C-alpha cells in the first residue's frame, strides 16, 4: 500500500539571529536594476515551464509588519503572465470561514495545475499572531506544527512545490518605516493599531518565529529567512530564492512547436517554418 512520504525536518534550521543586516545590501541602483531585470526574466521562464508541465507552485510570505512583503511580491509578479498566478492577501477569517478548521480557507485558495499561488501571510498565522495574541490556546498552536507539516506534505506528495519566505527587519528599521507610513498620506492606510500593538510584543514574536522555523522547516519545504532592512537587497534575494527553488529538478526548455500549427502556417501563411 502506498503511504505518504516522511516528514523530515532540516537538521540545521534557520534562526533570525543568523542573518546579517550589514552584509545584506546592494551598492547602487544600477546594480539593483540590472539584477532585477535578470531574475524577473528567469522567473518568467520558470512560470512558463510550470504552465507547460501542469505543475503547481505555492509561495508563502511571512514577516514582520512593514518588512517589505508587498514590495517583494510586486517585483516578483510584475513581469509574470497575469493569467498564471494569483496573490492571496490573508487577513482575519471572513464570517463564512469562522468556526471552520483554520486550514479550510487556504485549501480553497490552492492553485490549479500550471498556476502559481502567492500567499501574503498564510496558515502560519496559527503559530505566530494567533499564538502570541492569544487567539489560539496553547494546545491548538502546539498541535498546529504537525498539522501544518502534514498539510504541506499532502501538497508536495501531490507534486506541488512550496517555497516559504520570511522577511526579517530590525526593530529600529520597523520604527523608521512606521514613521514614514504615518507621514505619507498614500501609505498611511498600511499602518494599523494592531501593527503598533504587535510591536510591543517583539520578544514573544521573535521566540514564536524561531520555533516555527525549528518545527516546520522541512527538507522538502524549508524556510528561507531574508534580511530585509535594505529593500533593494531583499527584493533581489526574494527573486533569487524563488527562482532557484522553482527551477530545481525542472525541465525549463520550451516545448516543441505543434506540428499541426507548423503545417497550417506553411499552408495558409506561406511561412517557411
Amino acid at each position: 500500500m502506498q503511504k505518504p512520504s516522511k516528514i523530515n525536518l532540516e537538521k540545521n534550521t534557520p534562526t533570525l539571529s543568523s542573518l546579517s543586516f550589514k552584509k545584506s545590501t546592494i551598492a547602487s541602483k544600477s546594480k539593483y536594476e540590472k539584477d532585477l531585470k535578470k531574475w524577473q526574466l528567469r522567473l518568467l521562464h520558470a512560470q512558463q515551464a510550470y504552465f507547460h508541465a501542469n505543475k503547481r507552485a505555492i509561495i508563502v510570505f511571512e514577516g514582520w509588519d512593514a518588512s517589505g512583503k508587498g514590495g517583494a511580491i510586486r517585483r516578483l509578479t510584475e513581469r509574470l503572465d497575469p493569467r498564471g498566478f494569483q496573490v492571496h492577501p490573508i487577513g482575519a477569517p471572513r464570517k463564512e470561514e469562522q468556526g471552520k478548521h483554520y486550514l479550510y480557507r487556504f485549501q480553497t485558495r490552492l492553485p490549479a495545475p500550471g498556476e502559481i499561488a502567492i500567499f501574503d501571510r498564510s496558515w502560519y498565522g496559527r503559530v505566530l499572531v494567533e499564538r502570541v495574541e492569544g487567539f489560539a490556546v496553547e494546545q491548538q498552536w502546539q498541535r498546529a506544527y504537525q498539522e501544518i507539516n502534514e498539510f504541506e506534505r499532502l501538497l508536495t506528495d501531490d507534486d506541488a512545490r512550496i517555497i516559504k519566505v520570511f522577511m526579517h527587519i530590525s526593530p529600529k528599521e520597523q520604527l523608521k518605516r512606521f514613521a514614514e507610513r504615518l507621514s505619507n498620506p498614500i501609505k498611511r492606510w498600511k499602518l494599523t493599531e494592531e501593527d503598533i500593538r504587535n510591536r510591543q510584543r517583539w520578544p514573544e514574536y521573535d521566540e514564536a518565529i524561531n520555533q516555527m522555523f525549528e518545527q516546520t522547516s522541512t527538507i522538502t519545504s524549508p524556510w528561507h529567512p531574508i534580511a530585509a532592512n535594505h529593500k533593494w537587497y531583499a527584493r533581489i534575494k526574494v527573486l533569487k530564492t524563488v527562482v532557484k527553488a522553482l527551477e530545481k529538478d525542472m525541465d525549463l526548455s520550451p516545448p516543441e512547436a505543434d506540428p499541426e500549427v507548423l503545417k497550417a502556417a506553411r499552408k495558409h501563411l506561406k511561412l517557411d517554418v
Side-chain angles (χ1 to χ4, degrees):
M1 182 174 67
Q2 183 69 35
K3 295 183 179 180
S5 63
K6 290 185 177 180
I7 297 172
N8 295 311
L9 295 174
E10 288 190 300
K11 290 183 179 180
N12 298 310
T13 53
T15 61
L16 295 181
S17 61
S18 66
L19 298 177
S20 172
F21 292 122
K22 289 183 178 180
K23 296 179 180 179
S24 304
T25 61
I26 291 179
S28 66
K29 187 174 183 180
S30 60
K31 168 67 173 170
Y32 164 68
E33 291 177 342
K34 181 180 178 181
D35 286 350
L36 186 66
K37 183 177 180 180
K38 169 189 171 182
W39 289 101
Q40 285 180 334
L41 182 59
R42 277 181 61 169
L43 182 58
L44 175 61
H45 291 163
Q47 182 197 27
Q48 292 171 344
Y50 274 67
F51 171 77
H52 294 302
N54 268 342
K55 188 174 175 69
R56 294 175 295 155
I58 299 162
I59 305 172
V60 174
F61 277 88
E62 291 288 350
W64 298 99
D65 296 323
S67 59
K69 296 183 296 296
I73 292 171
R74 188 157 58 250
R75 274 71 184 183
L76 197 70
T77 59
E78 64 184 356
R79 289 180 180 257
L80 295 182
D81 187 325
R83 298 169 294 181
F85 75 88
Q86 190 165 359
V87 178
H88 301 287
I90 302 299
R94 297 194 293 260
K95 185 177 181 179
E96 64 271 19
E97 296 168 335
Q98 294 174 0
K100 297 179 179 178
H101 193 278
Y102 69 95
L103 290 175
Y104 165 81
R105 60 185 179 137
F106 303 105
Q107 292 168 329
T108 60
R109 291 172 168 87
L110 295 175
E115 295 184 359
I116 298 172
I118 301 171
F119 287 88
D120 183 355
R121 297 202 185 276
S122 68
W123 43 92
Y124 283 97
R126 173 58 58 115
V127 296
L128 293 176
V129 65
E130 291 183 36
R131 166 185 171 170
V132 176
E133 300 299 328
F135 300 137
V137 299
E138 186 172 0
Q139 184 184 35
Q140 290 175 319
W141 62 257
Q142 286 190 349
R143 189 178 69 225
Y145 296 124
Q146 183 175 340
E147 292 172 340
I148 288 170
N149 286 337
E150 290 175 350
F151 175 56
E152 292 181 357
R153 174 177 63 181
L154 177 151
L155 295 171
T156 55
D157 279 358
D158 199 40
D159 202 31
R161 181 152 297 174
I162 303 173
I163 305 164
K164 303 185 299 197
V165 173
F166 188 92
M167 309 286 285
H168 179 46
I169 56 175
S170 66
K172 182 179 179 180
E173 179 65 21
Q174 187 191 61
L175 182 60
K176 175 185 172 184
R177 295 183 185 185
F178 279 4
E180 289 173 349
R181 287 183 176 184
L182 279 174
S183 62
N184 187 337
I186 298 176
K187 294 185 177 182
R188 194 174 293 155
W189 64 272
K190 291 184 176 183
L191 184 63
T192 68
E193 183 181 353
E194 183 181 356
D195 296 337
I196 298 172
R197 188 173 66 249
N198 289 349
R199 179 178 166 81
Q200 311 311 309
R201 291 186 161 181
W202 191 282
E204 295 171 72
Y205 275 102
D206 187 88
E207 179 183 3
I209 292 160
N210 283 312
Q211 190 169 2
M212 176 186 73
F213 292 157
E214 180 183 345
Q215 296 293 330
T216 65
S217 194
T218 62
I219 300 298
T220 52
S221 303
W223 274 104
H224 302 277
I226 291 173
N229 268 14
H230 189 280
K231 292 183 180 181
W232 290 349
Y233 171 87
R235 292 165 185 170
I236 299 302
K237 184 66 174 178
V238 167
L239 277 163
K240 284 184 180 181
T241 299
V242 169
V243 167
K244 290 181 178 180
L246 289 175
E247 289 180 343
K248 185 178 180 182
D249 301 325
M250 277 292 294
D251 181 4
L252 301 174
S253 56
E256 297 291 333
D258 187 332
E260 293 302 315
V261 173
L262 295 178
K263 182 178 177 180
R266 295 187 193 104
K267 180 178 179 181
H268 301 293
L269 303 178
K270 309 303 180 184
L271 296 177
D272 185 18
V273 292

